[in-house]
Amino acid sequence: MSLAWKAARSSGLHGLLRVPGDKSISHRAIIFGALAEGQTHVSGFLEGEDTRATTRIFSQLGVHIETPGAESRVIHGVGLHGLQGSAQSLDCGNAGTSMRLLTGLLCAQAFDSVLVGDASLSQRPMARVINKLDVMGARISARDGNFAPLHVHGGQRLQPVEIDTSVASAQVKSALLLAAMYAEGESVITEPRPTRDYTEAMLQALGWPISYSPGRIRIRGGGRLQGGEIRIPGDISSAAFLITAALLVPGSDITLENIGINPRRTGILKALRLMGGRIEIFNESEQGGEPVADLRVLHSALKAIDLPESLVPDMIDECPIFFVAAALSEGTSHASGLAELRIKESDRIASMVAGLRAMGASVTETADTVTITGGRLHGADIQSRHDHRIAMSFAVAAQCASGQTLIHDCENVATSFPGFVDLARSAGMILE
Ligand code: S3P
C-alpha cells in the first residue's frame, strides 16, 4: 500500500521531544545478544521494520527473543555455535545493515542460508562484503555476483586476515568482524576512514578479545560473549530531521532528550553549527559505554558552507537533510565525496536533486558532489522513491515552503522512525 503525506509551512517547533532508539545499535543488540551466553536485556530498542526484520531472522535461527514491553527485548543467547539453520529464506526487508552483517555471520556457520530483501535492497551492492569474505574462505553466491538473493554456503573453515575494507562502511567492517570471530587466530581490519564503531564497542562490552582505535581493529577468533544489559540511546539520524526543522522554522525552540552523540555520528551537528545553527549540547553522560546528551535547538539564520569532506562518513545518513538546510540558507553550499549516497535505500543524490528542483531550488550534481544555492522554496509533488530519509527530508523542507507539498511513498519511514508523523506534529510541524 502506498502512503502519501501532505505537508505545509509551520509557524514554529516547540517542546521536549524523544526520538526512537538508535537503529544501528538495535540491530547489533539482537545479533550479539543472540550469540552471547545467557540473557541480554535490551532497553530503548527501535521498534522499526528494519530491526524487526533482524529479530525475526534470529527467531528463525532458533533464538528465543521475548518482548516484555515496548522498546525492550530479552534475548536468550545460544552462544557462538548455537544457531540453527532455517529451511526458509531469511528476509531482511529494506535493511542493508541486516543483510550485510548477517552475510558475515552466516558464512561462518555449519549450515547454509539464503538471504533475501525487498525491491530496493535487492538492487544494493553486496559484492563489497562478498569479495572481502571470500578472502577469508567464505562461499557466497549472489545474483550477478553482487545482488540478493544471497546463497551463503556454510561449513567453511575461515582464515584470519589482514584486510582493508576499501570503502568507509561500518556494514562492511562489521561483516568482516563477525566472520573474524569464527576464524582461528587474529585478524586486523583497517578502514580508509573511521566509521561508526558500535560493533567493536558491543563486542568489547560483552567480553570479546578485541582492541581498536579509529579505523583499525584487532580481533581474535574463538572467544565467548557474555550476555548483559544494553541501553540504547535515541538515534541522532532521526533527531536530525527535527533539529534541522527547528533551525529553519522561525520561532522554534526544541529540546531533544537522550540522543546518542558518538563522534562517528555527529557530523551533522558539526555541519549545522558551521552554518550558524544554534545547537546546545548539555546533560552529557555515558550510557552503556556510549556518550549521550540532550540537545537544545533554536531557530537560526543559516549560511551556506563548503562541507568539509572529512565530515561525510560521520553524517552519511544525514546528507539528505543537510541538503534541505543548504537549500534554505543564504549563499551557495557545496559538498563532495558523496558517492556512497548513490547506493543507499535510493540514489539519494538523484532523489534529493529532483525533489529540491521541483520545490524551486537551484541545485547541480556530479557523480559525487552536490552544489546548492539557497533561496525560497514552494510546495511541489515529491517522489520519495520509497526511501525513509528522503520522505522525512522533504517533510522538513515543506515546513519552510509556500503552498502545499505532497510526498509520495512514505511507508518505509517505519523502517527507522515509527511515530515520526505524530511526533513531528506534536512539535508543531504541519504534516498529515
Ligand atoms: C550502518 C552503516 C551505514 C549507514 C546505515 C547503518 C550500520 O551504512 O548508512 O544506515 O549500522 O552499520 P554503510 O556501512 O553502507 O556506510
Side-chain angles (χ1 to χ4, degrees), residues 6 26 44 58 63 108 135 160 174 199 219 222 266 271 304 352 374 378:
K6 273 193 264 181
S26 295
F58 278 92
V63 181
V135 179
S174 301
T199 299
I219 179 168
T266 47
M352 288 307 298
H378 55 73

Side-chain angles (χ1 to χ4, degrees), residues 23-24 28 97 100 128 168-171 196 316-317 344:
K23 178 155 73 76
S24 292
R28 288 160 172 82
T97 305
R100 297 208 177 99
R128 52 178 51 205
S169 163
Q171 293 177 358
R196 63 192 73 189
I316 193 66
D317 291 335
K344 294 293 178 186

Side-chain angles (χ1 to χ4, degrees), residues 102-116:
L102 288 176
T103 304
L105 171 65
L106 293 171
C107 74
Q109 305 304 312
F111 50 83
D112 292 355
S113 307
V114 180
L115 289 164
V116 299

Side-chain angles (χ1 to χ4, degrees), residues 57 89-90 92 99 102-103 106 113-117 148-152:
I57 289 174
S89 52
L90 307 171
C92 302
M99 187 168 280
L102 288 176
T103 304
L106 293 171
S113 307
V114 180
L115 289 164
V116 299
L150 304 183
H151 291 259
V152 184

